Amino acid sequence: MNTTDGPTASARLLNASAHASTARGERVRVSTDRSGYLPPSLPDGVVYARCVEEVVHTMELATAHRVPVVPRGAGTGLAAGASARAGEVVLDLSGMNRILHIDPVEQLAVVEPGVLNAEVNAAAAAHGLFYAPDPASTAICSIGGNIATNAGGMWCAKYGVTRESVLSLRVVLPDGRILVTGRNTLKGVTGYDLNALLIGSEGTLGIVVEATLRLRPAPIQTATVAAYFADVDAAAMAASAIIAARIQPSVLELMDGPTLEAVDAAQGTGHRSKGAAFLLAQTDGYGAFLEQDVLIRAIEPFATHIEKAADAETAAALVAARRQAIPSLERLGRVSICDIGVPRNRLADVFAGLAEISRNTGVGIYNVAHAADGNLHPMIVVDPGESITEGPAKAALAEMFYLAKRLGGTLTGEHGVGLLKRDWLQEELGDLSLELQHAIRNVFDPKGILNPGKAI
Ligand SMILES: Cc1cc2nc3c(=O)[nH]c(=O)nc-3n(C[C@H](O)[C@H](O)[C@H](O)COP(=O)(O)OP(=O)(O)OC[C@H]3O[C@@H](n4cnc5c(N)ncnc54)[C@H](O)[C@@H]3O)c2cc1C
């Protein structure tokens, strides 16, 4: 391909790539993700990788010419981790989207990074299996992005986050060498766990080009409950009561009144008329309905209305309502999504703190939460042209972090640090941890060309 940029380092890389573009429309598309971040400039171009050899070639050129490279999956990230600016080249992996192999006996799948999360589950279902980490964005996010962010999701309440479901990885290092991490056995402790290190490294240590994923037997049955509450505090107390009842829901999702209103307006549903806060709870496996009975007894003192889903269709509609929370809010404006985690018995405290932040900063806060994990997504909606990295939106995000910290929690439960949360990183990790993490990054990427300015 030709570029008009002259013989800059990135132009040399782009010129030598089999599939690349410097078209403005493409550069705009890959300059940001779904975080609401407005990039100050556009990347120099984008390389579309179709195979491992093309990733290796790109990274060898990037190292030779010292061109910063931003790996990109499906661009659904919520921390601006895949955002890119002038002087950088985006490496788009969405075209490496084949499911290479499913082994129903060993219960694993070997996939390329651009495969969408939902596609893995559709393929696994044909064998009576499923892939557990299911972000609400399952239909639109890639496995490579899930691995890079250590994504969570609804079923993580019972089955754990991405790190618990990735057995091994093939990774292209910044200089083009190929590293294989992990193993294809369920157990194994040889050497340091580089697999775990790579998962959640936000594209800063290497580029995932193949993953072996752990599948699990699909639950024999699932029981679904929708519960409505007079306010979000009551819903939070009910969620804590479920945890205290020593049962293990497979899904426990909370939405507050303003979010229900947005979902109803966008999806034509009527949840808000039934209550000012909502809990979606599922139990699964052989004892699903026994667990459901215990769950209902735990929440009855707090709920104003409880419905058991009569059939799979009703259950799917309830799950869809939760999955549509962010897209429904995006219809109202630019959405800034926070991702704090708190101990699960502090849910009521965190909602009280969020209400205070809303009063102090003057911003409206919409709340959804993976309640079983204590992982909340307070969201702020600003005008489409308004920045989320300054003014009241930024101030509220900072206050949310300090609230989580006071309650013994964390800055990010599953979306990652990306570009948007680096301001508070040192305060959570401390100097020594951060120093060691920079040293590790330097071992993998001594020239600092992989996703600079992100994550740590
Ligand atoms: C409606 C909606 C709902 C969401 N719900 C959830 C949720 O429930 N749980 C959750 O965890 N997240 C959720 N997200 C956030 C997002 O979907 C996840 O972070 C997802 O893992 C990002 O995947 P992606 O393919 O879009 O990655 P991108 O946005 O393209 O990239 C994310 C990060 O991964 C890196 N990266 C991408 N591919 C690779 C690769 N092959 N090798 C190395 N690095 C790579 C990028 O550099 C970047 O740092 C949601 C997003 C939306 C829009």
Side-chain angles (χ1 to χ4, degrees):
M1 63 151 291
N2 292 315
T3 71
T4 52
D5 290 342
T8 61
S10 56
R12 283 200 286 273
L13 187 157
L14 291 158
N15 275 325
S17 302
H19 312 284
S21 173
T22 56
R24 184 180 160 77
E26 289 300 288
R27 293 190 292 138
V28 170
R29 185 184 69 80
V30 298
S31 64
T32 193
D33 55 11
R34 293 279 291 270
S35 61
Y37 172 68
L38 287 168
S41 56
L42 298 180
D44 293 356
V46 51
V47 173
Y48 297 97
R50 298 278 189 272
C51 60
V52 177
E53 292 69 29
E54 288 182 4
V55 176
V56 169
H57 182 59
T58 302
M59 294 318 300
E60 284 173 350
L61 287 168
T63 288
H65 300 300
R66 285 186 177 258
V67 180
V69 170
V70 178
R72 184 179 181 86
T76 69
L78 296 173
S83 65
R85 55 183 65 197
E88 298 175 343
V89 166
V90 173
L91 179 55
D92 186 319
L93 296 137
S94 59
M96 291 177 66
N97 56 3
R98 291 175 303 156
I99 294 177
L100 300 172
H101 178 57
I102 289 197
D103 184 334
V105 178
E106 283 300 319
Q107 301 181 355
L108 53 82
V110 183
V111 305
E112 291 187 326
V115 174
L116 298 181
N117 181 291
E119 291 171 347
V120 176
N121 257 315
H127 301 279
L129 300 168
F130 80 115
Y131 177 61
D134 68 325
S137 50
T138 174
I140 52 173
C141 65
S142 77
I143 290 293
N146 294 169
I147 291 168
T149 55
N150 191 19
M154 301 196 201
W155 293 327
C156 297
K158 181 169 182 177
Y159 298 101
V161 294
T162 298
R163 192 173 279 133
E164 270 82 60
S165 286
V166 176
L167 294 173
S168 83
L169 294 173
R170 236 176 138 204
V171 176
V172 177
L173 297 178
D175 61 7
R177 286 179 297 167
I178 294 178
L179 170 73
V180 176
T181 64
R183 56 194 62 78
N184 291 349
T185 52
L186 285 185
K187 294 175 81 176
V189 292
T190 319
Y192 292 145
D193 192 347
L194 295 184
N195 206 50
L197 177 63
L198 262 295
I199 298 165
S201 63
E202 301 192 50
T204 61
L205 301 180
I207 294 169
V208 175
V209 290
E210 191 181 293
T212 301
L213 309 177
R214 177 183 180 185
L215 306 176
R216 297 165 199 262
I220 188 113
Q221 56 187 355
T222 298
T224 304
V225 164
Y228 297 86
F229 303 84
D231 54 41
V232 74
D233 290 348
M237 286 189 277
S240 295
I242 292 171
I243 307 299
R246 308 263 190 278
I247 51 171
Q248 182 58 75
S250 52
V251 168
L252 189 58
E253 297 291 320
L254 186 153
M255 289 196 275
D256 71 358
T259 310
L260 290 177
E261 270 166 35
V263 169
D264 286 344
Q267 316 299 328
T269 45
H271 296 288
R272 181 65 183 86
S273 64
K274 297 180 185 176
F278 168 83
L279 262 189
L280 169 67
Q282 290 190 320
T283 46
D284 70 10
Y286 286 93
F289 289 92
L290 290 174
E291 273 196 295
Q292 187 187 55
D293 289 344
V294 180
L295 186 144
I296 289 175
R297 277 202 298 279
I299 61 177
E300 263 168 352
F302 307 99
T304 51
H305 177 61
I306 298 176
E307 287 173 17
K308 290 187 201 177
D311 48 43
E313 205 174 58
T314 312
L318 290 167
V319 172
R322 165 60 185 90
R323 289 203 193 282
Q324 289 306 316
I326 294 174
S328 300
L329 286 167
E330 284 175 337
R331 289 162 64 124
L332 305 179
R334 182 174 289 276
V335 181
S336 169
I337 304 171
C338 185
D339 176 38
I340 48 178
V342 295
R344 295 174 299 176
N345 63 355
R346 306 306 299 270
L347 280 174
D349 297 324
V350 79
F351 282 113
L354 288 166
E356 195 181 330
I357 291 171
S358 178
R359 282 192 298 275
N360 292 347
T361 58
V363 298
I365 299 178
Y366 300 78
N367 287 297
V368 302
H370 304 294
D373 304 327
N375 184 194
L376 291 95
H377 297 317
M379 293 179 270
I380 298 163
V381 182
V382 300
D383 287 339
E386 211 178 307
S387 168
I388 59 160
T389 50
E390 52 205 33
K394 171 87 186 266
L397 198 65
E399 288 306 315
M400 289 175 196
F401 164 58
Y402 291 117
L403 169 66
K405 199 168 175 241
R406 278 198 305 279
L407 296 175
T410 181
L411 179 58
T412 171
E414 59 183 17
H415 297 162
V417 172
L419 199 60
L420 297 184
K421 294 168 208 150
R422 289 186 74 215
D423 285 359
W424 306 287
L425 196 61
Q426 188 276 341
E427 287 184 70
E428 178 167 334
L429 294 179
D431 289 336
L432 179 58
S433 176
L434 206 49
E435 184 190 325
L436 288 173
Q437 297 198 33
H438 280 292
I440 290 169
R441 185 172 185 166
N442 197 43
V443 169
F444 278 79
D445 186 16
K447 293 193 171 161
I449 58 170
L450 207 47
N451 218 1
K454 312 285 175 47
I456 65 160

